[in-house]
Amino acid sequence: MSEQSADANYQGVWGNRIGFGNKAALLMIDFMQGYTREGAPLFAPGVVSAVAESVELLACARRYGIAVVHTNIRYHPGHFADGGIWVKKAPVMKDMIEGNPLAAFCTEVLPQPDEVVISKQYASAFFGSSLAPMLHAQGIDTVVLAGCSTSGCIRATAVDAVQHGFRTIVVRECVGDRHPAPHEANLFDIDSKYGDVVSKQEAMRQFKEQ
């Protein structure tokens, strides 16, 4: 018996479309310079293109009054105790301290003064943060994800988003990773089980209709 392709194996079991709800927010996940500076330990070529693609997406969200939330990662620079086991598993994350240029936001997608910035210590933007109640309080039922990395903080945020009751949308061109294989594998999983992976044009069309 020949092995099925992933698409054929999942067909009819996984992959239902959830779509946009009534009110969306754009989550800009961890677009920090450590991912876009060539030679930095966290450098991820796919994030460079994701930042460039996200400029138009972010401008569209702002134009149509879509709530925008940015996240970054921050640790105590002395002992990193707030990073728990994660910084032991991934000590490269210790670059994410205040004042390190690698932890600064990418200049192309800087938060505006009236946009919320959530600093987190783990992969998911929802874990240990006020993100879910803040969005629920505004009547937001859909979260649109851009950022990095696809296999890390995007995936973790997507899983937690659906578990917090949000329709979860990931914009394909606006997320990136350090290698195409985990990037594509995680987009496949997210689209199959946790949310919808859509094109940037589709996301912007939905922003206009909100």
Side-chain angles (χ1 to χ4, degrees), residues 39-57:
L42 282 168
F43 175 67
V47 179
V48 177
S49 62
V51 170
E53 293 281 359
S54 295
V55 171
E56 185 181 17
L57 181 74

Side-chain angles (χ1 to χ4, degrees), residues 11-52:
Q11 188 173 13
V13 179
W14 299 106
N16 185 51
R17 308 306 287 172
I18 192 66
F20 279 67
N22 295 316
K23 189 174 183 182
L26 173 61
L27 307 186
M28 299 286 285
I29 307 295
D30 299 348
F31 270 145
M32 295 174 289
Q33 294 183 34
Y35 293 97
T36 59
R37 287 196 183 187
E38 194 164 358
L42 282 168
F43 175 67
V47 179
V48 177
S49 62
V51 170

Side-chain angles (χ1 to χ4, degrees), residues 9 11 13 20-21 32 49 53 58 82-83 91 106 124 143 163 173 176 190:
N9 182 266
Q11 188 173 13
V13 179
F20 279 67
M32 295 174 289
S49 62
E53 293 281 359
L58 180 58
D82 47 351
C106 296
S124 170
V143 291
Q163 292 173 163
E173 299 96 323
I190 292 168

Side-chain angles (χ1 to χ4, degrees), residues 160-174:
D160 272 2
V162 71
Q163 292 173 163
H164 278 92
F166 295 101
R167 294 170 181 263
T168 305
I169 310 294
V170 174
V171 184
R172 174 176 285 277
E173 299 96 323
C174 298

Side-chain angles (χ1 to χ4, degrees), residues 68-71 111-118 130-131 134 138:
V68 177
V69 179
H70 304 257
T71 73
Q112 292 186 342
D114 62 342
E115 292 171 348
V116 172
V117 175
I118 290 179
S130 61
L131 180 58
M134 179 184 72
Q138 296 176 63

